[in-house]
Amino acid sequence: MTIYSRASPHRLLVAKEHILLMAEPAEPAEPAEPAAAAAAERAARTDRAEPAGRGALLVERRSIDFVPDAERHGTAFSQFTLWLGANLQITAVVTGALAVVFGGGAFWSLIGLVAGNLVGGAVMALHSAQGPRLGLPQMISSRAQFGVKGAVVPLLLVIVMYVGFFASGTVLAGQAVGELTHLGETPGIVIFAVITAVTATIGYRVIHTLGRVASVVCALAFVYLGIRLLDRIDLTAVLHDRAFHLPMFLLAMSLSASWQLAFGPYVADYSRYLPRATSTRATFWWTLAGSALGSQWSMTFGVLVAATAGDAFLDDQVGYVVGLGGAGLIASFLYFTIALGKLTINVLNTYGGFMSMVTGIGGFRGHRTVGPRARALYIGGIMLAGTAVALAGKDSFLTSFKDFLLFLLTFFTPWSAINLVDYYLISRERYDVPALFDVRGRYGAWRWDALAVYVIGVLAQLPFLATSFYTGPLVDPLGGADISWIVGLAVPAGLYFVLARGRGNTGGTPTVEGAVAPYRERHGCP
């Protein structure tokens, strides 16, 4: 893996390349409109709640359909362990290191990374808080803004992005698996890809179990590595340089904020089974705490390593980290930890990609349920596509492919801004859930005005965007820092708020409380 050792107008591009290696109960609602009521009746006939015994099975049976109250379980604390485990991993270490590699001092790089993790993590956690209220995967709620079919526009980009995430993460983890098994890199990539697909197919419960295990194992590994590192360096000397350079600070902040924002399109997938009464604040804070703490912990380690190890770390990140810990059984444990950390995040990417694919196709075919065979085929398709890219690009092609993926990050932030403004400020956490599956319902098939705002939000970022094939005119005046993500949040948020207020409440009254009364009556949901 190549990392450039000096700053350039494209330094954020290279930085992001390594990142990629990787309805509160409402008041009783008015009677549902005819389309919503019809959709609710269809939901009552087709979305059978699982009996109590079957609901406890390990293998998940639901996909993009509504999770009834009888099947809800867990606490908000589960979001902390999941996102802590997903962020205590080698790619986050490399991301933090890049803040120093591209010219920043260790002291202000750490502060910039904290700021970015908190800002980006807050946006991500706001999405997570939607899960218990709606009982739906994250991208389904996009239909309320863009229409049942119109939501396919951001969905297509999300699917491509997560296939790329699968490929990038599999390359790095495959190296660790190859070392553990002594089979080499290519068999390691294949083995890791199959394990990822199987875990994602089993679904929600095993994903959270994996997160709990990874949060403990990876935390222990990072404590051990931190002790070993501090024993070798002079921390006071490393943090001695306090000179402030705004471009370098913005670069560090952009690195960590972009890291957090990439979780937005699927974060609610992992909170949607929480009981509806789960506090919005609890879900928000536990998600933010786990994700920000895990990523900042890893990135801080990366900053200190990059500031003291130099080329020894840059030439072989995995090898240096394992070598720092020791040899023999300790080295094997660290290789296992690297693979476990990457497995956690790769499973999240695969499961999220599956949900996005079903959401996009279901908008045109009217499906809201997916059987076990179809589920395995969807996830198998993601695995095959991601593995093919990983094997083809493990030497050189992957870098060019990640350049393309970096550009797709530009399309994430406008979607996030529009979704959050609509849910919290316009609809006020009240969506007509059956209408999210009905092209004849209140949200319609296509919402061209919202799609226009989305396009404007993408275009507004171009002057601030830095990629290998395009650099905006305002990047150089900012010292090479890419702040397109800030513009991509602010511009569409403001435009959509004005637009939505002008056309009236998009959530309206029927909500999940009123429109799915037939569903509740049939299944006995409170």
Side-chain angles (χ1 to χ4, degrees):
M1 183 187 306
T2 301
I3 298 181
Y4 298 98
S5 59
R6 62 183 180 87
S8 74
H10 307 303
R11 56 178 171 254
L12 185 57
L13 161 70
V14 182
K16 286 182 181 176
E17 286 181 346
H18 293 277
I19 294 178
L20 293 175
L21 275 169
M22 58 152 215
E24 184 171 357
E27 295 299 324
E30 298 173 5
E33 294 178 355
E41 289 286 357
R42 287 195 294 274
R45 291 194 300 269
T46 60
D47 286 352
R48 295 288 186 261
E50 298 178 31
R54 295 175 64 191
L57 289 175
L58 181 66
V59 179
E60 183 181 13
R61 301 180 61 84
R62 295 197 175 273
S63 56
I64 63 172
D65 46 328
F66 172 72
V67 180
D69 290 349
E71 297 176 26
R72 305 290 188 96
H73 60 272
T75 65
F77 181 72
S78 65
Q79 304 305 300
F80 175 81
T81 54
L82 177 65
W83 293 107
L84 179 66
N87 284 280
L88 285 174
Q89 46 136 319
I90 186 65
T91 310
V93 173
V94 175
T95 302
L98 293 172
V100 173
V101 169
F102 295 125
F107 180 81
W108 283 107
S109 291
L110 289 173
I111 296 178
L113 290 169
V114 169
N117 275 318
L118 290 176
V119 174
V123 173
M124 172 261 208
L126 285 171
H127 287 297
S128 178
Q130 297 177 17
R133 295 295 178 260
L134 297 178
L136 294 168
Q138 183 67 69
M139 293 305 290
I140 281 287
S141 65
S142 296
R143 293 177 174 180
Q145 298 96 55
F146 303 109
V148 175
K149 294 182 177 180
V152 75
V153 175
L155 277 169
L156 285 173
L157 301 169
V158 167
I159 293 168
V160 173
M161 174 68 77
Y162 289 125
V163 169
F165 282 171
F166 183 103
S168 301
T170 299
V171 169
L172 191 58
Q175 296 172 5
V177 174
E179 290 288 341
L180 272 175
T181 60
H182 304 291
L183 295 175
E185 183 179 7
T186 298
I189 287 174
V190 174
I191 292 171
F192 182 79
V194 171
I195 294 174
T196 298
V198 171
T199 307
T201 301
I202 296 174
Y204 186 91
R205 288 181 181 272
V206 75
I207 290 173
H208 274 278
T209 299
L210 178 64
R212 288 192 292 272
V213 172
S215 66
V216 175
V217 174
C218 295
L220 290 174
F222 271 90
V223 168
Y224 172 74
L225 288 170
I227 294 172
R228 296 277 293 184
L229 178 64
L230 292 176
D231 189 50
R232 293 188 179 189
I233 68 174
D234 183 347
L235 185 60
T236 302
V238 172
L239 301 178
H240 177 71
D241 183 6
R242 306 292 177 88
F244 179 77
H245 302 284
L246 180 61
M248 293 297 97
F249 179 83
L250 291 175
L251 173 63
M253 187 175 178
S254 296
L255 283 169
S256 54
S258 298
W259 174 273
Q260 297 289 345
L261 291 172
F263 295 132
Y266 63 41
V267 60
D269 297 0
Y270 309 104
S271 62
R272 74 190 197 280
Y273 277 87
L274 292 177
R276 195 197 309 255
T278 303
S279 165
T280 296
R281 290 184 177 182
T283 306
F284 172 86
W285 285 112
W286 281 123
T287 302
L288 174 60
S291 190
L293 175 61
S295 58
Q296 188 61 38
W297 189 349
S298 300
M299 292 178 189
T300 298
F301 182 80
V303 166
L304 298 179
V305 167
T308 56
D311 292 340
F313 173 71
L314 302 182
D315 293 340
D316 183 9
Q317 295 91 1
V318 173
Y320 179 85
V321 170
V322 172
L324 179 66
L329 290 177
I330 292 179
S332 296
F333 169 72
L334 292 175
Y335 278 123
F336 171 78
T337 301
I338 290 172
L340 179 63
K342 293 307 301 177
L343 177 64
T344 305
I345 191 63
N346 238 36
V347 168
L348 298 185
N349 292 332
T350 306
Y351 186 87
F354 155 68
M355 289 293 182
S356 296
M357 190 178 297
V358 175
T359 299
I361 295 174
F364 289 86
R365 301 186 64 181
H367 293 168
R368 68 164 68 207
T369 58
V370 176
R373 181 176 299 178
R375 181 191 192 92
L377 288 175
Y378 276 119
I379 293 176
I382 294 173
M383 180 199 73
L384 291 175
T387 303
V389 174
L391 291 174
K394 63 187 179 67
D395 297 319
S396 60
F397 170 74
L398 196 59
T399 298
S400 298
F401 184 73
K402 284 184 291 182
D403 285 348
F404 174 64
L405 295 179
L406 291 175
F407 187 67
L408 291 183
L409 279 174
T410 308
F411 297 87
F412 273 15
T413 48
W415 164 83
S416 185
I418 291 171
N419 179 267
L420 292 178
V421 167
D422 185 75
Y423 181 73
Y424 287 104
L425 301 182
I426 303 301
S427 299
R428 298 190 182 278
E429 305 181 41
R430 295 163 60 90
Y431 278 157
D432 180 350
V433 172
L436 294 173
F437 298 88
D438 185 3
V439 295
R440 297 167 298 175
R442 64 165 63 250
Y443 304 122
W446 301 86
R447 285 197 155 182
W448 297 107
D449 49 0
L451 288 168
V453 171
Y454 175 75
V455 172
I456 292 172
V458 172
L459 296 177
Q461 298 176 75
L462 297 183
F464 305 91
L465 185 66
T467 70
S468 64
F469 49 85
Y470 170 81
T471 299
L474 298 182
V475 172
D476 282 340
L478 291 172
D482 184 336
I483 62 167
S484 58
W485 63 277
I486 299 176
V487 178
L489 287 173
V491 171
L495 288 178
Y496 185 81
F497 181 79
V498 173
L499 169 70
R501 294 281 289 185
R503 73 183 180 197
N505 192 311
T506 64
T509 64
T511 67
V512 67
E513 298 298 324
V516 298
Y519 186 103
R520 289 166 41 195
E521 180 178 343
R522 182 170 300 227
H523 297 295
C525 299

